[in-house]
Amino acid sequence: MPTDNPRLVAYPDRALYERLKQYQEDLGLKTLSKAAITALEDYFRQLDMPKKAEDNEIESIKRELAQLRQRLEQLSQKVVRLEQQL
């Protein structure tokens, strides 16, 4: 089947080749090429997971910081009003 995708050639040792064959069979994939692509996709997806979790944590910290800034501004305004009453 023709494709416009780039070609990748690899020469794994026998043990890795056998593991890839087993992976192919376990997933019911028709070709070793599809097994290799799926394995690479899974690998890179797992690498991206910590980044996504980190991004979520950063967004959470940003929201919390915005809330703290708003609260600080409210408190500052109250202090100014109290000082004016004195």
Side-chain angles (χ1 to χ4, degrees), residues 23-49:
Y23 183 75
Q24 174 191 3
E25 292 172 15
D26 291 347
L27 295 181
L29 301 172
K30 291 183 179 184
T31 65
L32 275 176
S33 179
K34 182 60 179 167
I37 290 167
T38 301
L40 287 169
E41 288 171 344
D42 289 347
Y43 173 77
F44 286 113
R45 189 176 309 111
Q46 288 176 0
L47 286 181
D48 290 341
M49 281 186 206

Side-chain angles (χ1 to χ4, degrees), residues 42-60:
D42 289 347
Y43 173 77
F44 286 113
R45 189 176 309 111
Q46 288 176 0
L47 286 181
D48 290 341
M49 281 186 206
K51 171 112 176 76
K52 289 178 185 175
E54 183 178 298
D55 289 346
N56 289 341
E57 186 175 349
I58 289 171
E59 287 304 313
S60 176

Side-chain angles (χ1 to χ4, degrees), residues 1-7 33 37:
M1 177 183 308
T3 180
D4 290 333
N5 293 341
R7 186 172 184 205
S33 179
I37 290 167

